[in-house]
Amino acid sequence: MSRILVLYTGGTIGMDHTPEGLAPVPGLLPRLLQRFERPGLEFDIVEFAQLIDSSAITPRQWNEIIDALVSRYAQYDGFVVIHGTDTMAYTASVLAFALQGLAKPVVLTGAQLPLVHPRSDGWANLADAFEAACQPDLHEVAIAFNRLLLRGCRARKLDVEHFDGFNSPNAEPLAEFAIHAHWRRDRWLKQDGGWRPQRVNEELKLAALMLTPGYGSAWAGRALQSGELDGAIVLSYGSGNAPADPALLDGIAAMTARGCPVLTLTQVVKGAVEVGAYAASQPLARAGALPGGDLTPEAALAKLHVLLSAAPSAAALREALACSLRGEITL
Ligand code: ASP
């Protein structure tokens, strides 16, 4: 017998047509989920008081999800988090870093078409999410979508039209669902240490700045120099290259001097930042930016947010950023 807790936060999957367009309808999804009742599976549903389109998510909702899960952690064998697809990769990444020492499955899912639509992809996604949440040796946060199980802190939303909305460009899937479920257990994380979940600091000011040719790098530099940010991600070109724009480099140096991390990622979907591959990657590193390897922007933001929430020493922060905490980066 598996006991699963379903946390329903909102998203297309439970939406219906309203005069304003698609919107979440309270009570609808819990009613539809009755279809999954079967011998050997018991589940309870917590419907959040404010069901949201996930584009509206903030650190406050991340804490609500963390609190809901942590307060019932001992009572259930696994967790399914129903979430909008727009920011599912951010929430999955935050949970991956916040739920330290996780020893149960936490599986996020949603849909491109609502369950009330005759061609909804939501039924298959939910079925796969339940199945994954019943695997006692899955000790990580994953996304079940379009017949794949992906590591949450590796996943990205890559398509708004087709049902293969998610993939993890720099990591192999954790499972593939066909006639049989093909569990790739050799890729699963091992539990690390005791259960020590952490909430996030809702006041932190983090941002990702995408470089664009022309004024874009100066603009990013001004944002970094404003003194407003607690940490930032610079989305550079190719394998970590950027123009040696003094405004950008001064911005990075100013952040670094204040003890606020700046991570360099690539704008490219697949591949990693590699300092030294090109001379054009060196100025960012010399100014103090830390190479983020093949972290996704979602995972990088989540990692910074969770790490900074614990107010670490500068040395501890650098060390944590350089290593793989939850399988989020290829070393
Ligand atoms: N806008 C929706 C959301 O993220 C999209 C979806 O769920 O597919 O809540």
Side-chain angles (χ1 to χ4, degrees):
M1 167 68 69
S2 298
R3 280 168 312 155
I4 306 297
L5 179 68
V6 179
L7 300 176
Y8 172 35
T9 68
T12 295
I13 191 165
M15 292 188 186
D16 204 349
H17 297 278
T18 72
E20 302 272 284
L22 283 174
V25 177
L28 174 65
L29 186 122
R31 239 182 3 263
L32 295 171
L33 282 189
Q34 286 169 6
R35 175 165 154 177
F36 287 96
E37 286 169 6
R38 61 170 167 83
L41 176 69
E42 261 179 21
F43 61 89
D44 296 317
I45 304 169
V46 173
E47 178 175 279
F48 280 36
Q50 270 217 300
L51 297 171
I52 57 167
D53 183 299
S54 77
S55 54
I57 203 140
T58 68
R60 186 168 63 78
Q61 280 89 17
W62 289 337
N63 275 335
E64 279 178 33
I65 299 171
I66 294 169
D67 292 344
L69 204 149
V70 169
S71 62
R72 299 168 180 88
Y73 185 71
Q75 289 138 256
Y76 293 92
D77 302 312
F79 301 86
V80 171
V81 180
I82 296 177
H83 196 287
T85 60
D86 288 349
T87 59
M88 191 185 293
Y90 287 96
T91 299
S93 297
V94 167
L95 295 178
F97 296 112
L99 303 176
Q100 293 160 47
L102 181 69
K104 298 183 181 189
V106 174
V107 186
L108 285 84
T109 199
Q112 302 280 54
L113 270 181
L115 290 174
V116 294
H117 192 287
R119 287 191 295 103
S120 177
D121 52 330
W123 297 109
N125 292 345
L126 281 167
D128 295 342
F130 271 114
E131 184 116 6
C134 291
Q135 305 304 307
D137 51 341
L138 182 67
H139 294 169
E140 56 180 296
V141 178
I143 289 182
F145 216 89
N146 192 47
R147 302 307 196 187
L148 291 177
L149 188 70
L150 305 168
R151 174 159 298 149
C153 55
R154 287 288 203 162
R156 300 204 72 190
K157 182 170 180 177
L158 296 175
D159 199 319
V160 290
E161 161 66 16
H162 297 97
F163 291 136
D164 54 348
F166 285 82
N167 215 316
S168 50
N170 290 314
E172 297 293 332
L174 304 178
E176 289 126 35
F177 301 96
I179 289 180
H180 298 100
H182 299 275
W183 305 110
R184 307 294 181 191
R185 290 194 149 77
D186 54 316
R187 299 174 185 157
W188 296 5
L189 292 179
K190 306 279 171 285
Q191 187 200 359
D192 85 286
W195 176 230
R196 43 192 204 290
Q198 188 200 307
R199 302 179 96 238
V200 298
N201 176 346
E202 296 175 14
E203 307 305 324
L204 280 175
K205 297 193 178 80
L206 304 177
L209 307 163
M210 184 163 103
L211 300 185
T212 51
Y215 186 60
S217 51
W219 176 250
R222 281 173 51 168
L224 295 170
Q225 282 197 53
S226 68
E228 260 186 62
L229 294 173
D230 299 309
I233 293 156
V234 171
L235 293 163
S236 62
Y237 303 116
S239 46
N241 306 316
D245 181 329
L248 174 65
L249 300 177
D250 289 352
I252 293 172
M255 287 283 286
T256 307
R258 289 197 296 120
C260 302
V262 179
L263 273 182
T264 316
L265 303 187
T266 174
Q267 301 180 11
V268 184
V269 171
K270 198 168 172 166
V273 166
E274 202 188 327
V275 177
Y278 288 87
S281 64
Q282 301 282 12
L284 291 182
R286 275 200 293 269
L290 305 166
D294 63 357
L295 278 175
T296 64
E298 295 88 340
L301 186 102
K303 191 172 181 179
L304 280 180
H305 206 123
V306 175
L307 288 174
L308 289 173
S309 295
S313 70
L317 178 65
R318 280 184 94 88
E319 195 188 316
L321 286 172
C323 65
S324 175
L325 300 175
R326 299 300 290 157
E328 71 276 13
I329 186 170
T330 311
L331 293 174

